[in-house]
Structures are given as C-alpha cells and as structure tokens.
Amino acid sequence: MSQTLSVQLRLRDLIVSGALPPGDRLSEPSVAERLGASRTPVRAALARLAEEGLVEPIPSGGFAVRSFSEEEIQDAIELRGTLEGHAARLAAERGAPGAALAEMKRLVARMDDATSPPIREANFTEYVALNAHFHDLLVEAAGSAVVARQIGRVVALPFASPSGFVLAQAALPEAHRVLTAAQEQHRAVVEAIEHREGARAEALMREHARLARRNLDCVMRNQEALRLVPGGALIRRRGWA
C-alpha cells in the first residue's frame, strides 16, 4: 500500500467514525503530526478526500471536514440508483458472464439464510459483506470501466454505499420487512439480467435504491439507529445549525 493511500484510508476512518467531526480544520502539518506521516502523502490524501467529497478547501488554507444535509444524501443515493440501474441494463443487454450470474445467485441464497428469522446483529454483519459483494458483481457484469468508475466515486461517501444503512436496520422494528423487500429485488434483478430484460433490470435497481432512501427517512427518526450508520456523525439533520 502506498503512503498516500494509507494516509487517505486512516484519515477517512477518523472522519467516518466521528473522531474528526464536521467543521474540524485539517492542515497538512496537523494531519502529518497526528498520523505520524510526512506532508507529501498527507497533501495528496487530502486532495483525494476532497474529490470524494468528505472534506472541502477553506479560504484560510487547508481543508475542513464536511457535513451533509439529508437532501444531499438522498441525491447521492438516487444517483447511485441511476448508475446501478444503467449497469444492470448493460449487463442484461450485453449478456452477463455465466460465472457472474452463478455467483450472484449464490449470494442471494446466502443472504436469504442471513435474513431468516430470528435476525441477530451477526446476521446484519454478514449481510453487509454479502450485499456489498452482490453490488460489486453487478457492476462488473456490466463490463463498463466508465460506469464502474462513476459508481465508485458515488459510493466513496459511506452513507451512499449499497450497505450504508444496513447495520442501522438492526435498531429498527421494520428490519425484517425491509430486508425481505431488498432480497426480492436482488432475486428479481438477477432474473432480469439472465433473461436479457434490460429495461426491467434497470427499473429494479432504481427501485432498489429508493428502498435505501426510505431507510434514511426511518434512521433519521431514530437516534440509536443513526449511530450505526457509517458516517452518521456527518449528517446534518433538518432544523439543526
């Protein structure tokens, strides 16, 4: 791992965990001292995090940790749905590799097992990993480096990723109903891709992202659930300064 990437990942973890809250100023010297790194990789890491949208340059120099409104998060999720919908259409119309389809079916089956009642915290942890793998396979099946690159930029924001709100569902009473709906959509999109139904596959993935938007609305009404969202400390609730 390069020094720049190492610094970038460590700094991102501090931001996403809330150890560096919104508004905190990040200068090259202060970050270098905190992480025990030289200023050159710190400078590059801060620039990359600015591209991801987690920090922003400030007039006095350096960067500051960003906060995000609920509307911005909704837009990011909607954009992910649009891009993943396009990826699903491409996978269906171009013909997804048989190995990718078989693996997606296997993942759906494993996610079925992980979401079978009674659902415990360990189930959600397993589901997060399986769900992330499923969405990665979907993008790979599209066979488009351009689409993959744009989706990668969107999901760099932790709460815009496919699993951004999954762990938070553990604190919500409707958890099993939401996961069941998500699973039906997973199963249906694999079927649409296999049958070369591009328009249906695209519509299903767009609707799948809308499920994440509904999860956002539920989480924002539940403080315990919000604490389980990666990057939740960066979310600026309506009515807050």
Side-chain angles (χ1 to χ4, degrees):
M1 184 183 299
S2 70
Q3 289 186 6
T4 297
L5 181 57
S6 176
V7 171
Q8 181 183 350
L9 294 177
R10 291 163 65 193
L11 196 52
R12 183 193 287 127
D13 284 344
L14 290 172
I15 293 171
V16 171
S17 69
L20 291 173
D24 262 20
R25 183 175 180 273
L26 305 175
S27 65
E28 288 179 23
S30 64
V31 173
E33 181 179 1
R34 178 165 187 159
L35 299 184
S38 62
R39 292 180 60 171
T40 299
V42 167
R43 183 182 308 117
L46 286 169
R48 291 183 182 180
L49 290 173
E51 290 176 2
E52 292 181 9
L54 287 175
V55 302
E56 58 189 353
I58 54 179
S60 59
F63 296 83
V65 178
R66 280 198 61 195
S67 64
F68 298 84
S69 69
E70 293 179 50
E71 289 76 14
E72 287 176 311
I73 297 170
Q74 288 173 350
D75 289 345
I77 293 172
E78 186 75 20
L79 179 57
R80 173 172 63 80
T82 299
L83 291 169
E84 287 187 331
H86 185 59
R89 175 187 278 274
L90 290 179
E93 294 179 348
R94 293 176 176 178
L101 278 172
E103 179 66 4
M104 291 171 77
K105 290 178 181 178
R106 187 183 70 84
L107 287 170
V108 170
R110 290 185 62 190
M111 285 189 281
D112 281 338
D113 293 338
T115 54
S116 297
I119 302 177
R120 301 181 176 86
E121 185 176 344
N123 296 95
F124 281 95
T125 302
E126 181 183 9
Y127 184 90
V128 166
L130 296 171
N131 186 56
H133 190 187
F134 179 91
H135 282 258
D136 287 344
L137 276 174
L138 173 71
V139 176
E140 290 176 17
S144 171
V146 173
V147 173
R149 185 162 53 249
Q150 295 307 314
I151 291 176
R153 294 186 66 178
V154 174
V155 301
L157 297 176
F159 32 69
S161 72
S163 298
F165 293 93
V166 172
L167 285 178
Q169 291 173 15
L172 300 175
E174 61 268 40
H176 185 256
R177 178 181 59 80
V178 172
L179 288 178
T180 299
Q183 275 298 91
E184 288 304 315
Q185 290 171 341
H186 285 147
R187 188 173 291 104
V189 77
V190 173
E191 179 184 89
I193 291 172
E194 185 173 30
H195 293 165
R196 310 291 290 268
E197 298 170 335
R200 179 169 177 248
E202 181 174 18
L204 283 164
M205 287 310 298
R206 284 177 173 248
E207 187 61 30
H208 192 56
R210 289 184 177 274
L211 191 61
R213 288 188 58 177
R214 291 200 293 273
N215 289 341
L216 168 65
D217 293 337
C218 292
V219 165
M220 296 309 295
R221 296 193 297 268
N222 186 313
Q223 191 64 36
E224 179 184 354
L226 181 59
R227 285 196 294 268
L228 297 173
V229 175
L234 306 179
I235 300 177
R236 192 169 64 249
R237 297 178 64 177
R238 292 187 183 95
W240 288 21

